[in-house]
Amino acid sequence: MLLMMPTSTSPRSLVRTAVLCAALGLTSASAYAQSAPFAGMAGVWSGNGTISLEDGSKERIRCKATYAVSGDGAGLNQSLLCASDSYKFELKSDVKARGGELSGSWAETTRGVTGSLEGRATAGKFNVDVSSPAFSAKLILTTTGNKQQVSITSEGQFRGASISLSRS
């Protein structure tokens, strides 16, 4: 997934990047094998959650993710659009899986920020490290049926997010 972030590391920029990374494709149906961790993910997912900032403030966020999965279920192209009352962002990602290992790239297209991601996929759960020169985060995504839970943690101005998604 490609994430574009502003050159500064404002709380909103970090939030956008983290949420975008979360949507990178950390969603997967637990019934699918490690060799095809993205199988069953294709389609549109949407939901909401909250983001937390260093100053302790929280804000509600709404997200819509569209996933395109390769024929073998080991590749994912993702587009994520998220918005709150005060901002919006769009993330794109390209993720590949091999033997349970994930790797790829992301871009936050509205701000021109890019980075890389790597992690592991096991039984419907994705543990991913997302990074760019100005940002890093840990993401955990768990899928059960047509429901996904995304948890993001980071140090700095953006502290985390909790997002629930459902397939349309």
Side-chain angles (χ1 to χ4, degrees):
M1 166 158 82
L2 298 177
L3 295 178
M4 303 295 248
M5 292 180 26
T7 56
S8 70
T9 57
S10 70
R12 284 191 167 80
S13 298
L14 296 174
V15 167
R16 289 178 192 117
T17 300
V19 172
L20 181 54
C21 294
L24 284 177
L26 303 180
T27 57
S28 169
S30 61
Y32 296 97
Q34 282 186 343
S35 62
F38 305 119
M41 288 182 55
V44 177
W45 298 71
S46 59
N48 56 50
T50 58
I51 55 173
S52 302
L53 302 176
E54 182 179 41
D55 66 2
S57 64
K58 291 188 178 189
E59 194 168 331
R60 291 190 53 76
I61 192 165
R62 298 167 306 282
C63 299
K64 180 179 177 182
T66 303
Y67 301 106
V69 177
S70 64
D72 64 359
L76 177 75
N77 287 312
Q78 176 266 331
S79 175
L80 175 69
L81 179 63
C82 290
S84 71
D85 291 337
S86 62
Y87 65 88
K88 74 174 190 175
F89 63 92
E90 185 172 7
L91 295 164
K92 304 280 184 181
S93 66
D94 183 20
V95 184
K96 303 288 184 217
R98 182 178 292 242
E101 298 292 323
L102 303 174
S103 63
S105 59
W106 57 265
E108 200 282 296
T109 60
T110 60
R111 287 164 183 78
V113 178
T114 64
S116 62
L117 65 98
E118 55 185 46
R120 291 205 46 81
T122 57
K125 186 173 184 177
F126 294 84
N127 288 293
V128 178
D129 292 317
V130 178
S131 62
S132 76
F135 178 78
S136 65
K138 291 210 172 273
L139 301 126
I140 299 172
L141 186 134
T142 304
T143 300
T144 305
N146 285 332
K147 304 282 184 189
Q148 298 174 345
Q149 184 62 41
V150 180
S151 174
I152 304 165
T153 57
S154 179
E155 296 297 320
Q157 294 175 325
F158 169 77
R159 291 303 172 114
S162 178
I163 303 166
S164 296
L165 299 171
S166 298
R167 187 175 358 222
S168 301

